[in-house]
Amino acid sequence: AQRVTQPEKLLSVFKGAPVELKCNYSYSGSPELFWYVQYSRQRLQLLLRHISRESIKGFTADLNKGETSFHLKKPFAQEEDSAMYYCALSDTGANSKLTFGKGITLSVRP
Amino acid sequence: GAGVSQSPSNKVTEKGKDVELRCDPISGHTALYWYRQSLGQGLEFLIYFQGNSAPDKSGLPSDRFSAERTGGSVSTLTIQRTQQEDSAVYLCASSANRGRVLHFGNGTRLTVT
């Protein structure tokens, strides 16, 4: 079964500090990993996906198959990064669905 | 173009009543998903449609929950005999291909009193 674990519920940092949002997954096949973000009073939206290997809004995430992790990182947090972040996993099979973690609230203080 | 649209945005109902939640996906998106978002529980998968068929209904919590999709477009999630534990935000998402990038609606906030 697919499972996504986000071990922390809340991360509070000061502006300019580095950020790492942890995500671990459990899946026996070949997964696709995503990070979705929900800003205050906005809909949930894609932030980045591992196959794109790109940086979005200064965030990066590397898939580590050995550690089954997909941590989200940003070297210098901004106040506008404050939001709810969800890690998600999809298998690459025919009838795939996205399995989400419980999410983490990132609060960036001025 | 328009994004995923859900209605109503808010619904307050009495325990025991039935409710219908509607989702209009992005035009041309073949895959449609329903999720439930509860405080502290994250996003809970309910059901997935490919076209009008539902290959994965594994997340529906009980037989009080059902969903259908017609014309490969609009979907309705029905909750019969609502209970207080059904209170949550119900999110719909659509995708142009299976299990890839999901586009979410704003959700329906259901409150059962």
Side-chain angles (χ1 to χ4, degrees):
Chain A
Q2 305 174 184
R3 188 165 62 246
V4 176
T5 303
Q6 294 181 251
E8 299 156 330
K9 291 185 178 180
L10 171 67
L11 179 64
S12 183
V13 301
F14 284 107
K15 175 182 171 181
V19 166
E20 182 177 68
L21 307 182
K22 291 183 169 36
C23 173
N24 288 89
Y25 67 91
S26 173
Y27 184 64
S28 57
S30 180
E32 270 195 75
L33 276 296
F34 304 80
W35 277 96
Y36 279 78
V37 61
Q38 189 168 28
Y39 300 102
S40 179
R41 290 185 291 278
Q42 293 187 29
R43 62 185 67 194
L44 194 60
Q45 60 187 285
L46 177 71
L47 179 62
L48 56 79
R49 54 196 301 195
H50 90 269
I51 62 171
S52 299
R53 300 187 66 82
E54 56 188 347
S55 173
I56 305 293
K57 299 185 178 183
F59 285 98
T60 58
D62 291 319
L63 179 62
N64 185 323
K65 292 188 177 180
E67 296 182 357
T68 59
S69 68
F70 189 57
H71 303 328
L72 184 67
K73 299 178 184 179
K74 184 168 183 176
F76 307 104
Q78 303 301 312
E79 289 179 68
E80 55 265 30
D81 295 330
S82 296
M84 187 78 169
Y85 291 80
Y86 291 93
C87 182
L89 175 154
S90 171
D91 67 45
T92 52
N95 290 325
S96 53
K97 67 186 182 218
L98 227 55
T99 299
F100 286 84
K102 290 184 185 289
I104 180 170
T105 300
L106 174 63
S107 173
V108 182
R109 293 169 286 171
Chain B
V4 177
S5 177
Q6 292 187 247
S7 61
S9 54
N10 278 286
K11 177 72 177 179
V12 180
T13 189
E14 292 181 352
K15 176 181 171 182
K17 295 286 178 71
D18 298 351
V19 294
E20 280 191 358
L21 313 180
R22 177 187 168 105
C23 173
D24 281 275
I26 292 173
S27 178
H29 279 192
T30 57
L32 186 148
Y33 304 77
W34 283 99
Y35 285 86
R36 181 165 69 175
Q37 187 178 31
S38 307
L39 198 62
Q41 297 301 313
L43 279 159
E44 177 188 8
F45 168 79
L46 297 178
I47 187 169
Y48 152 66
F49 288 93
Q50 183 62 33
N52 289 336
S53 64
D56 192 340
K57 306 178 183 180
S58 61
L60 294 177
S62 75
D63 59 8
R64 296 186 296 104
F65 287 72
S66 63
E68 64 175 13
R69 189 179 185 194
T70 54
S73 180
V74 172
S75 176
T76 303
L77 176 69
T78 302
I79 309 173
Q80 296 178 309
R81 304 181 303 281
T82 51
Q83 304 294 312
Q84 287 186 330
E85 60 262 28
D86 299 334
S87 296
V89 176
Y90 289 82
L91 292 173
C92 176
S94 69
S95 174
N97 46 30
R98 290 170 295 200
R100 303 302 183 258
V101 177
L102 268 57
H103 300 264
F104 282 86
N106 280 322
T108 294
R109 181 176 296 279
L110 175 66
T111 303
V112 182
T113 61

